[in-house]
Amino acid sequence: MKKAVVLLSGGIDSATAAVIARKDGFELYAMSFLYGQRHAVEINAAKHIASFLAVKDHTIVTINLSTFGGSALTTLVEEVPKNRGPRDSQDEIPRTYVPARNTIFLSYALGYAEVLGAQDIFIGVNAVDYSGYPDCRPEYIAAYETMANLATRAGVQGSRIVIRTPLIALTKAEIITLGSNLGLDYAITHSCYDPDSAGGACGLCDSCFIRREGFKSAGLPDATRYANRQD
């Protein structure tokens, strides 16, 4: 059984990427990050997903990207954007972008994969219904994969590292439909950037908007408890 490292944030996309990896016959080694984000609700969701998928191992790495700031997700000083609705342009990079986050996460996953002897890394990036982040684009993933095979012993010795992005060209509705068909329970996932003290979704941030519209377009029930519903 081939091993795969799966980056597991606790959200819809990473959970769906993980269930696809399992379907494809990989033994899953999940990796999540406490990176100085505003809340740990997503880590609890990642734990539930890891248990649901019966991963071989779930590693939670603690780093502190709030040292540098630069994002509404890594500081309490800057507010998370709310009530923006559909975004007019994919060229806009919102304040919730965390500088170099996927590069850092993939680098940890790359090191872990080398130790495990795994050649496959799954990440749930999406270039369709995404939030304008530059590190979710196909050209970024292609460039990172090239670097990974130049920078590692595994790559140099012929054990090619593959960055797998099974969701990159799918809409959120297509992702939700796919995961549901594979038996994934989205009630255990979390998307909100700014949940309340009980972990409830705000219903107003970009991520809540994309999640809610995804379920609506898929014609599937959304079990998320939103503090503010915009239906």
Side-chain angles (χ1 to χ4, degrees):
M1 198 173 192
K2 295 186 296 182
K3 299 175 182 178
V5 176
V6 180
L7 289 172
L8 193 61
S9 70
I12 286 174
D13 295 344
S14 69
T16 308
V19 78
I20 290 170
R22 186 182 67 174
K23 174 188 70 72
D24 290 345
F26 288 95
E27 182 177 61
L28 307 186
Y29 291 78
M31 178 173 278
S32 304
F33 292 86
L34 276 166
Y35 61 90
Q37 61 266 58
R38 298 172 71 94
H39 62 84
V41 179
E42 61 190 33
I43 294 297
N44 292 331
K47 291 177 181 178
H48 288 307
I49 296 162
S51 177
F52 181 82
L53 296 177
V55 304
K56 180 69 173 180
D57 185 59
H58 184 201
T59 300
I60 299 175
V61 179
T62 300
I63 54 179
N64 191 5
L65 300 185
S66 67
T67 299
F68 310 110
S71 170
L73 299 190
T74 56
T75 177
L76 296 178
V77 175
E78 189 172 359
E79 292 187 359
V80 171
K82 303 281 180 71
N83 292 307
R84 298 206 309 160
R87 295 177 56 251
D88 295 328
S89 172
Q90 293 286 12
D91 294 329
E92 177 191 356
I93 299 176
R95 297 196 302 274
T96 50
Y97 163 68
V98 179
R101 179 172 59 181
N102 279 347
T103 301
I104 293 167
F105 290 178
L106 280 170
S107 295
Y108 272 85
L110 180 60
Y112 190 29
E114 274 215 282
V115 172
L116 290 172
Q119 293 178 249
D120 300 88
I121 298 171
F122 281 78
I123 181 171
V125 293
N126 175 256
V128 181
D129 286 343
Y130 79 129
S131 296
Y133 301 152
D135 53 2
C136 289
R137 299 173 298 160
E139 52 267 46
Y140 163 75
I141 295 297
Y144 191 94
E145 183 176 286
T146 297
M147 182 280 298
N149 283 288
L150 290 172
T152 57
R153 180 172 60 186
V156 169
Q157 293 182 347
S159 297
R160 183 168 180 78
I161 302 293
V162 179
I163 310 298
R164 298 197 178 273
T165 57
L167 314 180
I168 202 158
L170 302 181
T171 66
K172 190 66 72 179
E174 289 170 335
I175 291 168
I176 291 168
T177 300
L178 175 58
S180 296
N181 289 340
L182 292 175
L184 182 58
D185 179 10
Y186 285 111
I188 63 175
T189 66
H190 176 86
S191 300
C192 182
Y193 289 147
D194 194 25
D196 61 26
S197 58
C202 73
L204 301 175
C205 67
D206 289 357
S207 191
C208 281
F209 175 83
I210 293 170
R211 181 186 180 102
R212 187 170 55 245
E213 290 302 305
F215 278 100
K216 187 184 299 183
S217 297
L220 293 170
D222 180 5
T224 307
R225 179 176 64 83
Y226 294 103
N228 298 277
R229 291 201 70 98
Q230 300 295 305
D231 298 338

